[in-house]
Amino acid sequence: MSVNILAGEVGVVAATALRELAARAVGVLPVAEYADGAPLPWSVVGDGGWDLVGVPGDGAASLRDLVEIAQTWGEFCVPLPLLPTILAKRWSAAARERTGPVTVSVAAPGRPPGRFLAPYLGEPEVVLALGLGAGEDRVAPPAVAARDGFAPTLRLAETDLRSAFSAEAAREQAVVWAAEAVGCARRTLRDSVGYARDRHQFDRPIGSFQAVKHRLARAHEQVELAESALLWAVAAPADTARPVRFAVDSSIGVLQTAIQVHGGMGFTWEMGIHFFLRHVLTLRELVRGVGL
Amino acid sequence: MRTEQGRGDRAVTTTAATGAADAFRLRAEQWLGRSVPERWKAERGALSEAEIDEIRLEWDRRLFRGGFAGISLPAEYGGQGLGLREEVAFHELAARAHAPEGFGRIGKILVAPALIADGTQAQRARYLPPILRGDHVWCQGFSEPGAGSDLASVSTVARAVPGGYLVRGQKVWTSFADKARKCLLLAKSDPEAPRYRNLTMFLVDMDQPGVTASPIRQISGASHFSEVFFENAFVAEEDRLGPEGEGWRVAMGVLNHERGAVEGVTRYVEMRGDLDRLIACCAGRAGTCSPVADFDTRLELVRWQISKTVAYQEDQARSAAAASVLKVTWSELWQEIAEYGLGAACPDHHAHWRNQYLETRATSIYSGSNEIQRNVIGDRILGLPR
């Protein structure tokens, strides 16, 4: 059994269950139909206790397990603060006392001074964890200074409150966000392959043309290497930033390819690839904000 | 950029190691430490071609005596009965220890698995022991002047005659052909049958009249390949590997081994050596060498990709998806490293980079061009239409 490469039982079980929940809620829907809505109520994941999967103790998920969960979750781009809640409840006792969702805020390079970024802040029931292994361990009610509507599936808000992270909590948060990005990339690659199989031009599926096929092959290479970068990030506490950045940047590359492969549909709002792209571009901001 | 990092923490398989795997690594490391010939380590550049050949031939025999031949082959066939993890670990350690490369690579990595998958008991009994002992060097007769990327269009013909076949045709880009006793040969056996069903795989004796091999000089000036001519060379019925008409299927199995983790890890270690050389050259020249940090990240990812391929070996689809990107990834990265190395003009290593630059032009072509490998990824991994 290879400890650092294969996910443990907790990770596999949780990822499988969450895949089923998300697939039941949004499986056949185009992302454009649910990006602005609430396709999955919090109670569905909360009642199952999936937000507590990382809480320290016997049978807690390892970081590798969280990567498995985040990659799976990322494939659906569901607007629900599951991943920040898992991290907050892993690192904060005050967050664990809440039954509902909890988010975190990180630095916001390039924004007004004193402003911090928090995904899903201002969404129903969401509170902000202020101490993740560092600082004062308490939660704060949502204090939204401004909304950032760029990524509808991440519901980003600016706030004046900053979550304090221990070095390890920050590292884990960055790895989990990177894993979510890789999940987005894997999903859009799969959609792009499906589109290239169905879409015909010159009486042939466009995926049979090498110009298109090789682009998708390169996207597959990027997804594979991005996933390997996550394994590296998990295993190398002193060297996490490089693989995390690689994973996120590669995922953005895959999203760009997906738009190109979808041709004239690729840059339409309704096709919806842009929701994944906006999601991953925003994850990159969050990863930078948490210090990696 | 990190220049201080030693090589000791970069083992491909240590992160995934169990106690047994650790014990294997330790045994291999100790054995390599005392078995790699001093002359090879110290004065390789000064050895004559005959001396080099002698050391490489002897190395295969030493591997056998040391219990490191056929590491991942089943024990019932004379292998060590271990897994891909140990095979990869050994190749990595051997490359790090600057061990010679024997002449047995084609036999052990490509022919032996094919014999186990498709050979008869008699063929295995006859050919596996000399491969493992290092007595038989094999070559791989696949590519032809008219059948490179389009391998299925080979025109070398095997015509049935009483007791066997007569082979006529020309092979090219054949490694080890000038040293080989045997050739794993893909030939057209049925001119009437449709494409992909007209081919058969053979185990051909190279020591016979009608077989001639002559080396090809490459752009670097070195000769790593030969062209081979078959003029009515005879191959016995019992030296047909698999049924008639199934040569394409057998060949695809062989090619997967050729582009996999074992090959990848050997390249990783060679590339690591090149990149460390470049990092040393760039130290203290801040600002001029920004791509080097990116090379370093991508090279370490080759290592992680290999580890992942090995770790997921029970899950065939996931392992195949992981392995499929290895060859295109390392080959193109190595080219970039060599291009940059030559351009960076490190005075100490100028001759090295000139040679590596020319040598690495071939990496994206051999073992199946990267264009073909990307077709394979598109068709077989992603399921795109042909």
Side-chain angles (χ1 to χ4, degrees):
Chain A
M1 192 71 187
S2 26
V3 182
N4 286 328
I5 292 187
L6 303 181
E9 198 187 338
V10 184
V12 173
V13 168
T16 306
L18 288 166
R19 179 182 296 284
E20 280 173 18
L21 291 178
R24 210 176 299 147
V26 302
V28 294
L29 292 175
V31 63
E33 283 189 24
Y34 62 79
D36 296 311
L40 192 62
W42 173 260
S43 58
V44 174
V45 294
D47 292 352
W50 298 116
D51 55 331
L52 301 173
V53 70
V55 173
D58 280 350
S62 66
L63 180 56
R64 173 66 187 86
D65 292 324
L66 296 184
V67 161
E68 195 77 3
I69 292 166
Q71 279 197 87
T72 303
W73 189 250
E75 288 184 31
F76 295 94
C77 224
V78 175
L80 194 69
L82 175 64
L83 298 176
T85 305
I86 290 176
L87 251 291
K89 294 188 177 180
R90 180 178 178 81
W91 285 95
S92 156
R96 286 197 283 278
E97 282 170 19
R98 306 284 304 189
T99 49
V102 183
T103 191
V104 296
S105 71
V106 300
R111 306 224 180 197
R115 286 286 170 82
F116 303 94
L117 298 178
Y120 309 106
L121 194 67
E123 290 295 294
E125 297 178 67
V126 176
V127 296
L128 187 66
L130 291 179
L132 289 87
E136 192 187 347
D137 187 0
R138 65 184 179 95
V139 299
V144 173
R147 293 207 172 267
D148 178 333
F150 180 70
T153 48
L154 271 171
R155 315 268 160 99
L156 204 60
E158 291 183 8
T159 174
D160 300 329
L161 296 173
R162 178 179 200 168
S163 308
F165 286 83
S166 69
E168 182 59 12
R171 180 180 107 80
E172 289 199 351
Q173 181 65 78
V175 172
V176 165
W177 276 330
E180 188 181 1
V182 175
C184 292
R186 192 176 278 289
R187 156 72 183 276
T188 33
L189 172 60
R190 200 165 56 226
D191 289 354
S192 302
V193 168
Y195 186 83
R197 270 206 292 248
D198 294 342
R199 168 76 176 164
H200 280 63
Q201 287 288 275
F202 307 100
D203 297 322
R204 294 170 60 180
I206 61 167
S208 68
F209 293 110
Q210 278 183 319
V212 176
K213 184 176 289 183
H214 286 191
R215 266 184 184 269
L216 290 168
R218 281 184 180 277
H220 167 72
E221 293 157 40
Q222 285 177 303
V223 170
E224 276 292 329
L225 293 174
E227 188 191 69
S228 292
L230 297 174
L231 302 175
W232 174 8
V234 167
D239 197 13
T240 310
R242 282 201 295 165
V244 159
R245 276 189 222 130
F246 182 93
V248 175
D249 290 346
S250 297
S251 300
I252 292 169
V254 173
L255 267 297
Q256 289 166 181
T257 297
I259 289 178
Q260 179 69 20
V261 168
H262 281 76
M265 291 305 291
F267 58 91
T268 63
W269 190 272
E270 63 157 315
M271 179 54 84
I273 303 169
H274 68 106
F275 289 110
F276 287 93
L277 181 58
R278 288 159 182 268
H279 197 97
V280 175
L281 289 170
T282 305
L283 288 173
R284 180 168 66 181
E285 273 193 77
L286 293 172
V287 165
R288 283 183 188 150
V290 81
L292 268 89
Chain B
M1 193 176 64
R2 295 141 34 93
T3 56
E4 77 289 358
Q5 205 169 22
R7 297 239 202 118
D9 60 342
R10 286 191 165 125
V12 168
T13 47
T14 42
T15 53
T18 60
D22 282 340
F24 175 81
R25 285 186 70 93
L26 190 64
R27 181 162 69 85
E29 224 161 353
Q30 289 171 344
W31 183 83
L32 285 161
R34 45 174 206 273
S35 304
V36 175
E38 280 308 320
R39 263 188 339 138
W40 180 265
K41 277 194 280 194
E43 43 188 322
R44 190 176 351 173
L47 298 172
S48 73
E49 207 164 312
E51 288 171 312
I52 288 172
D53 283 0
E54 188 196 310
I55 289 174
R56 292 179 65 181
L57 204 59
E58 170 58 22
W59 182 247
D60 285 317
R61 298 183 171 143
R62 267 190 205 188
L63 285 173
F64 177 72
R65 291 196 300 267
F68 292 104
I71 290 165
S72 59
L73 296 180
E76 58 182 306
Y77 301 123
Q80 308 300 322
L82 298 168
L84 181 60
R85 173 168 302 142
E86 287 81 4
E87 186 85 55
V88 167
F90 185 80
H91 276 77
E92 183 196 9
L93 293 169
R96 271 172 211 270
H98 302 291
E101 193 200 352
F103 291 124
R105 180 159 63 94
I106 304 281
K108 282 181 233 175
I109 300 180
L110 304 183
V111 179
L115 285 167
I116 289 169
D118 289 291
T120 62
Q121 269 311 341
Q123 287 170 339
R124 293 172 190 149
R126 184 167 170 206
Y127 291 122
L128 287 172
I131 286 175
L132 294 171
R133 282 198 307 267
D135 290 343
H136 281 185
V137 176
W138 284 72
C139 62
Q140 180 191 3
F142 281 24
S143 294
E144 296 182 4
S149 289
D150 183 10
L151 182 61
S153 72
V154 293
S155 59
T156 292
V157 171
R159 182 168 58 87
V161 294
Y165 303 81
L166 285 179
V167 177
R168 274 181 79 92
Q170 182 190 351
K171 294 291 175 180
V172 74
W173 308 124
T174 316
S175 307
F176 306 110
D178 50 334
K179 310 275 188 302
R181 283 270 292 273
K182 302 290 297 184
C183 179
L184 180 69
L185 182 108
L186 184 65
K188 194 191 281 188
S189 51
D190 182 352
E192 307 299 321
R195 189 173 156 88
Y196 300 117
R197 276 184 268 160
N198 55 352
L199 304 175
T200 303
M201 194 69 80
F202 297 98
L203 312 166
V204 180
D205 210 334
M206 294 287 282
D207 290 334
Q208 61 169 310
V211 180
T212 45
S214 55
I216 296 170
R217 194 171 186 210
Q218 296 161 233
I219 58 173
S220 66
S223 295
H224 303 304
F225 301 92
S226 295
E227 52 185 343
V228 186
F229 299 91
F230 297 89
E231 286 293 332
N232 289 326
F234 180 74
V235 51
E237 169 97 43
E238 61 261 30
D239 280 337
R240 188 187 66 224
L241 181 61
E244 270 193 19
E246 299 219 359
W248 182 251
R249 181 184 58 76
V250 179
M252 287 305 98
V254 170
L255 289 179
N256 276 338
H257 285 287
E258 192 175 2
R259 298 170 191 158
V262 174
E263 173 77 5
V265 76
T266 310
R267 300 306 179 200
Y268 163 76
V269 176
E270 292 176 76
M271 291 165 72
R272 191 70 248 172
D274 266 4
L275 187 55
D276 285 348
R277 202 185 281 256
L278 194 53
I279 288 171
C281 158
C282 285
R285 294 170 36 169
T288 57
C289 289
S290 53
V292 175
D294 173 56
F295 294 155
D296 195 47
T297 301
R298 288 158 63 198
L299 181 55
E300 286 314 290
L301 280 169
V302 169
R303 179 167 79 81
W304 281 98
Q305 189 69 21
I306 293 168
S307 300
K308 190 169 75 177
T309 304
V310 173
Y312 280 111
Q313 58 184 308
E314 310 287 315
D315 180 344
Q316 217 169 7
R318 203 154 178 185
S319 188
S324 70
V325 312
L326 283 173
K327 198 262 170 173
V328 288
T329 304
W330 65 252
S331 61
E332 290 172 8
L333 177 57
W334 206 356
Q335 291 180 333
E336 284 184 59
I337 292 171
E339 281 164 44
Y340 197 80
L342 186 61
C346 299
D348 295 348
H349 305 131
H350 197 56
H352 172 81
W353 289 120
R354 278 181 162 176
N355 184 64
Q356 281 307 72
Y357 173 81
L358 292 172
E359 281 278 329
T360 56
R361 295 309 94 195
T363 59
S364 54
I365 302 167
Y366 60 51
S367 301
S369 72
N370 286 11
E371 284 72 19
I372 288 298
Q373 184 58 22
R374 291 197 166 99
N375 284 352
V376 170
I377 291 171
D379 297 344
R380 287 192 230 149
I381 305 294
L382 299 177
L384 288 165
R386 282 167 200 273

